[in-house]
Amino acid sequence: MKNVVLGVTGGIAAYKACDMVSLLRERQCEVRAAMTRAATRFLQPLTLAALTGHKVLVDELEGEIDPSIPHVSWARWADAVVVAPATADFLGKLAHGLADDGLTCLVLALEAGKPVVLAPAMNTSMWQNPLVQQNVARLRGLAAGARFRVVEPVEKRLACGETGMGALAPAGEIADAVSALLALS
């Protein structure tokens, strides 16, 4: 059994995290969820807690003090992290080593060699923006080798009503990428 943290950021595709939990559990993964504050506007942490059987990490920088330092203990627990959806905001923060919430802190606290699967989802214009593309290229090219695996968004009708590239890849494709990285059958 492999341990996977599912990171969920604040895009409309956040609701698809429920399918991701189910698919990862079918692949014999123990799953915990970490959400950005913006993600909680689209999906309630209680939903993911019920599906995973674990408390959801939302923002350890607010509220009660947890002496275990969750972003570090979760990073040690995880064999891999998958962020689906990964917004332009999250990709930019990660590409530049910024950590201002529990999820970005967790990803930056991962030990070398632990893979991170990023599944971007956003409006077509945002996805094609040269700044977003630079951030994605930077993550792909980091010296850590294959640490960051990007599952490309797909073309379809988006929440904004337009049709174009930027929709979250199918949950099965994302789960397959995690399985391949962890050598799950």
Side-chain angles (χ1 to χ4, degrees):
M1 175 142 333
K2 296 292 185 170
N3 297 328
V4 177
V5 172
L6 171 62
V8 184
T9 66
I12 186 64
Y15 77 92
K16 295 181 179 183
C18 299
D19 290 338
M20 285 300 313
V21 171
S22 296
L23 288 171
L24 291 169
R25 290 185 61 146
E26 285 175 9
R27 288 168 167 77
Q28 305 303 308
C29 292
E30 184 71 22
V31 182
R32 292 183 183 177
M35 301 173 76
T36 63
R37 180 73 49 205
T40 66
R41 297 182 73 183
F42 295 96
L43 178 68
Q44 292 294 311
L46 181 59
T47 303
L48 293 178
L51 292 172
T52 64
H54 296 284
K55 181 179 178 179
V56 174
L57 177 64
V58 175
D59 194 348
E60 67 185 65
L61 305 177
E62 291 180 6
E64 64 186 69
I65 302 299
D66 184 340
S68 71
I69 310 174
H71 71 274
V72 174
S73 62
W74 282 37
R76 289 181 180 149
W77 174 85
D79 294 308
V81 172
V82 57
V83 183
T87 59
D89 178 68
F90 179 81
L91 294 169
K93 287 178 184 178
L94 190 57
H96 295 282
L98 303 176
D100 64 353
D101 58 46
L103 180 56
T104 52
C105 287
L106 187 155
V107 174
L108 292 179
L110 284 172
E111 298 166 357
K114 289 187 176 182
V116 179
V117 175
L118 301 169
M122 62 198 74
N123 171 273
T124 302
S125 296
M126 293 174 73
W127 174 246
Q128 293 173 344
N129 186 294
L131 295 171
V132 172
Q133 290 302 307
Q134 275 183 325
N135 288 335
V136 171
R138 180 181 175 103
L139 290 166
R140 283 186 173 129
L142 289 175
R147 165 165 263 185
F148 295 104
R149 162 80 158 69
V150 177
V151 178
E152 297 286 330
V154 297
E155 184 173 338
K156 65 185 247 184
R157 185 173 171 84
L158 304 173
C160 63
E162 299 172 4
T163 299
M165 187 65 68
L168 185 67
E173 186 178 325
I174 299 166
D176 288 347
V178 174
S179 295
L181 288 170
L182 295 175
L184 300 171
S185 53

